[in-house]
Amino acid sequence: MPWDLLVRGGTVVTPAGPVAADLAVADGRCAEIAPGLAGEARETIDASGCHLLPGVIDSHVHFNDPGRAAWEGVASGSAAVAAGGGTLFIDMPLNASPPTLDGPSFDAKLAACRGTARTDFAFWGGIVPGRVDRLPELAERGVIGFKAFMSDSGIADFPAADEATLAAGMAAAAALGLPVAVHAEDDALTRRLAAEALSAGRLSAADYLASRPIEAETIAIGRAIALATETGASLHIVHVSSGAGVALVAEARSRGVDVSCETCPHYLVLTADDCRRLGAVAKCAPPLRDATEQAALWEAVADGRIMLIASDHSPAPATMKQSANFFEIWGGISGCQPLLGLMLEEGHAQRQLPLARLAELVAAAPAARYGLADRGRLEPGCQADFSIVDLAVARPLEAAALRDRHRLSPYLGRVVRGRIRQTVLRGQVIARDGEPVGPPIGRLVPGPAYKASPA
């Protein structure tokens, strides 16, 4: 029988490095990777001059569906992921209404994604006060882990986890065999500094930046690591913004604590100067840091102390990004689509980060961290999720190229590398030259504690 798909003449980025080879797909999986494969296929793609990269697994997005789809929505968000070479997104529990805190809210989110998502998808569950007892039903339905905020989330129905809640949530997650991801900023410190600025009438972007210092991040990371050590939880620190934060994680790992961290393109590409210059479109928490911190993050990316890179795509309507009071503006950066292009330019082209390492950061590492064993790598037997990219093309990012709902991006005008000719999910083309192809075929990818419902 012929293969379902044969991609000829490209350079396949394997875990061992790039190799000139053809890639054959059968039953949605990589069947063979070798030069000059003989045989026929139902569909053949000429990838001459292009690289095949594992499909991006963006493990940190806020698509706000159901309930707040006007902020993004699965349809537009997943189209943006696919246009950027992504094949799987993992959606955070907050911003949807209701947030993903129990079985029924998981079911509502699943219903919003089925028949709508253009890529595969997975979910985080939430840890909030008074709801820790619901974590087992989320695990059984297939969440890949649990998310908690150590500071105000900005969403009333997803309050911060106090220390007792976080400890109980970590203990429950450890028993379920799932990781806990935390937004690590010290709430008491950031609240105090923000209140002082507001009472003095200091309302600018610079004042906001000063209200969320690196110390707030390191205090919270240290507390989270201590709780993980006590409870035996697997801990993941999301969107680390400082070298000191990375150092705390690395030191704990050296002591045998199961802890990892991620950073985001905005911390690697933008600085606090960009926030002051661009304003609301570049507001996030933790905030952008100075060039010294950015250099420290790049060092940690290169040497492996930062395990993975995710977009933290957190959009909002334009009306929520406008105020003379910078503290009132919604804090979130949109960036799921340009993630790969930014890393190919800033990491590979500018800093000579090897393609195999880049692929690990955006695909293999999130798959491994969250128990998705057959994803994130281009190897025989793995799911055939990949993008076909012409690395010779580099051009400024334009709003017209974006597929997310609001197209409010701090990256506009910045060079992104790689024309993503096609994105392939389970051997089927889902995007071509930035445009969706065919009907949405995304499926739920359950976590390792998933229990299938009886037939």
Side-chain angles (χ1 to χ4, degrees):
M1 293 292 293
W3 287 303
D4 298 320
L5 174 67
L6 182 57
V7 184
R8 290 196 177 278
T11 299
V12 181
V13 178
T14 73
V19 294
D22 301 337
L23 186 151
V25 176
D27 297 324
R29 296 188 175 274
C30 298
E32 290 191 46
I33 300 173
L37 287 176
E40 299 298 326
R42 294 182 177 89
E43 181 181 1
T44 300
I45 296 174
D46 181 4
S48 300
C50 293
H51 285 70
L52 277 65
L53 288 159
V56 171
I57 297 175
D58 194 342
S59 59
H60 190 155
V61 304
H62 300 264
F63 285 169
N64 315 320
D65 217 350
R68 291 190 178 95
W71 291 25
E72 181 60 271
V74 170
S76 56
S78 65
V81 170
T87 52
L88 171 65
F89 66 85
I90 308 181
D91 201 36
M92 284 294 171
L94 70 162
N95 300 17
S97 183
T100 313
L101 301 176
D102 53 27
S105 55
F106 180 102
D107 296 342
K109 179 172 280 191
L110 180 58
C113 290
R114 279 181 169 158
T116 306
R118 292 195 169 274
T119 69
D120 282 351
F121 52 89
F123 302 148
W124 290 95
I127 296 175
V128 300
R131 305 296 289 275
V132 171
D133 62 326
R134 310 302 292 271
L135 300 189
E137 61 196 76
L138 287 167
E140 290 179 0
R141 279 168 167 80
V143 297
I144 57 91
F146 304 101
K147 169 73 175 295
F149 268 72
M150 300 179 73
S151 59
D152 182 11
S153 73
I155 300 291
D157 56 6
F158 200 95
D162 56 79
E163 190 147 339
T165 297
L166 187 55
M170 284 189 178
L176 293 165
L178 294 175
V180 172
V182 298
H183 177 126
E185 288 184 287
D186 183 69
D187 196 53
L189 179 56
T190 56
R191 281 184 183 274
R192 177 175 64 79
L193 293 176
E196 291 173 358
L198 291 169
S199 66
R202 294 185 277 109
L203 310 177
S204 70
D207 298 316
Y208 170 78
L209 293 172
S211 76
R212 304 186 89 97
I214 290 172
E215 182 186 5
E217 182 172 71
T218 56
I219 289 172
I221 290 175
R223 187 178 302 131
I225 288 172
L227 288 173
T229 304
E230 293 171 9
T231 61
S234 175
L235 175 64
H236 182 69
I237 311 296
V238 298
H239 49 52
V240 171
S241 68
S242 67
V246 174
L248 286 171
V249 173
E251 189 279 331
R253 284 181 66 83
S254 73
R255 293 188 281 108
V257 181
D258 182 4
V259 57
S260 57
C261 64
E262 72 189 39
T263 195
C264 308
H266 41 271
Y267 300 118
L268 295 170
V269 172
L270 306 171
T271 67
D273 286 342
D274 292 300
C275 185
R276 288 184 281 264
R277 176 176 60 87
L278 295 170
V281 74
K283 180 183 177 182
C284 57
L288 300 177
R289 307 296 188 188
D290 64 24
T292 301
E293 295 301 329
Q294 186 180 85
L297 293 177
W298 274 115
E299 289 181 9
V301 164
D303 66 23
R305 285 175 293 149
I306 289 177
M307 176 180 282
L308 60 94
I309 294 173
S311 72
D312 190 11
H313 179 81
S314 186
T319 54
M320 296 179 65
K321 303 290 277 186
Q322 299 170 2
S323 176
N325 180 350
F326 203 80
F327 289 83
E328 292 180 344
I329 291 168
W330 177 259
I333 287 177
S334 298
C336 61
Q337 182 173 337
L339 188 161
L340 179 60
L342 288 167
M343 292 303 97
L344 285 170
E345 175 61 22
E346 299 288 337
H348 176 62
Q350 300 298 327
R351 291 174 175 82
Q352 289 75 56
L353 192 69
L355 287 174
R357 172 62 181 148
L358 190 152
E360 179 183 18
L361 286 160
V362 301
R369 186 63 172 133
Y370 304 127
L372 312 176
D374 62 345
R375 305 205 176 218
R377 308 179 313 281
L378 292 181
E379 295 179 324
C382 287
Q383 186 160 295
D385 300 344
F386 55 91
S387 60
I388 302 173
V389 185
D390 183 351
L391 294 183
V393 177
R395 54 195 172 193
L397 182 65
E398 299 178 352
L402 296 175
R403 293 292 166 263
D404 60 290
R405 182 177 295 275
H406 301 293
R407 305 184 184 187
L408 302 174
S409 172
Y411 306 120
L412 295 181
R414 190 171 291 273
V415 171
V416 290
R417 181 165 294 277
R419 173 191 168 203
I420 301 174
R421 287 179 47 191
Q422 299 187 66
T423 304
V424 177
L425 173 65
R426 297 191 300 275
Q428 298 183 58
V429 176
I430 59 170
R432 184 177 291 114
D433 291 325
E435 297 290 343
V437 173
I441 62 169
R443 300 174 183 168
L444 174 68
V445 180
Y450 171 69
K451 294 182 179 179
S453 299

